Amino acid sequence: MGRPRAFDEATAVASAAALFASRAYDGISVDDLVNHLGVHRNSLYQTFGSKRGLYLRALRWHLDEQVRPALRRNATFDNGLDFLLLAATERAPADPEVATEITRILAEFDEALTAPATSALLGDHLRARLSR
Amino acid sequence: MGRPRAFDEATAVASAAALFASRAYDGISVDDLVNHLGVHRNSLYQTFGSKRGLYLRALRWHLDEQVRPALRRNATFDNGLDFLLLAATERAPADPEVATEITRILAEFDEALTAPATSALLGDHLRARLSR
DNA sequence: CCCGTTGTTGACTGATCGTTCCTAAACTCG
DNA sequence: CGAGTTTAGGAACGATCAGTCAACAACGGG
């Protein structure tokens, strides 16, 4: 019961993931999220608890719905590693939960490919990101 | 003439480079820099113009004094790629001058090594950074 | 010795940060 | 058509941000 949500939670998480993949965590304000998602400030806090809560939800969604499926199918990642890359370099050192997620997914990369292949893949995507 | 400086500019730049290598640009406040360098706020602004001015000075110092010498000697980089790595993933997309510096140094890497070797090197250091 | 110049110092500015409060609106159930 | 519950919406919070201002201190040259 109660008033129904005016936004789709899954859509909001996906949209947040796209935004978090584009700039550093501290470079994205809650106002930016509000504008980009079209969801009002209070709804975000009620649904996700905090900016960090939304970030973690978005990161896990990115890994579960974009990275892992591509890894299983041995498909290409296209731009689909940007969030992972940014989280690994910028956020993991500052947030233990992010570090845990990144460490886990990289272990899965090592298992599916090899450690050198994982490093090469990360390096390639880092460089590709510079040309975009 | 005039009052002499109470701090060494080169030392301040090196110290700023160490700090900028540790966290994202927006995660480092001018107060952080003031505390870490032991140089007072106004002296930083008088000498470097702005936070971004100091960042660019520190990045160029890092590349000129730490990265390029090691690249010429074919030596190991140890932790000496952290600032480059962070600048490439986090700052280059937001700051054209940073992007220029990063593009240039990576071209030098490609020349000294090969493009795949550069990617592998970057990927390896990205992963090594996670375990520190 | 005093004047011009440069550096130091700490208080201060408006803007923006993440987060919260409160009221109104939209729904379900009785 | 209320009563109860959940969300939307906008205004507001204290904290912190990058950057500035004006008074004072330390030097060199005349």
Side-chain angles (χ1 to χ4, degrees), chain B residues 67-86:
Chain B
V67 177
R68 287 191 173 96
L71 189 62
R72 275 196 295 273
R73 292 188 208 106
N74 248 14
T76 62
F77 291 94
D78 300 325
N79 311 347
L81 282 183
D82 281 5
F83 196 177
L84 167 56
L85 213 60
L86 199 53

Side-chain angles (χ1 to χ4, degrees), chain A residues 68-117:
Chain A
R68 288 191 172 94
L71 189 62
R72 274 196 295 272
R73 292 189 208 104
N74 249 14
T76 63
F77 291 93
D78 300 325
N79 310 347
L81 281 184
D82 281 4
F83 196 178
L84 167 55
L85 214 59
L86 200 53
T89 54
E90 181 252 324
R91 207 59 203 152
D95 190 325
E97 275 196 74
V98 173
T100 299
E101 296 291 341
I102 298 299
T103 300
R104 179 179 298 132
I105 191 85
L106 290 185
E108 296 176 31
F109 270 85
D110 287 345
E111 195 181 355
L113 317 168
T114 65

Side-chain angles (χ1 to χ4, degrees), chain A residues 1 3 30 45 50 54 65 67 81 83 95 98 112 114:
Chain A
M1 62 180 78
R3 181 171 173 168
V30 176
Y45 275 90
S50 65
L54 175 53
E65 305 299 324
V67 178
L81 281 184
F83 196 178
D95 190 325
V98 173
T114 65

Side-chain angles (χ1 to χ4, degrees), chain A residues 33-90:
Chain A
L33 288 162
V34 165
N35 292 330
H36 190 259
L37 308 196
V39 176
H40 278 77
R41 207 175 194 71
N42 231 329
S43 302
L44 288 185
Y45 275 90
Q46 203 157 332
T47 308
F48 304 107
S50 65
K51 179 189 175 187
R52 178 171 176 268
L54 175 53
Y55 181 88
L56 289 172
R57 272 287 299 272
L59 177 58
R60 285 171 182 138
W61 177 87
H62 170 63
L63 298 179
D64 284 338
E65 305 299 324
Q66 300 188 308
V67 178
R68 288 191 172 94
L71 189 62
R72 274 196 295 272
R73 292 189 208 104
N74 249 14
T76 63
F77 291 93
D78 300 325
N79 310 347
L81 281 184
D82 281 4
F83 196 178
L84 167 55
L85 214 59
L86 200 53
T89 54
E90 181 252 324

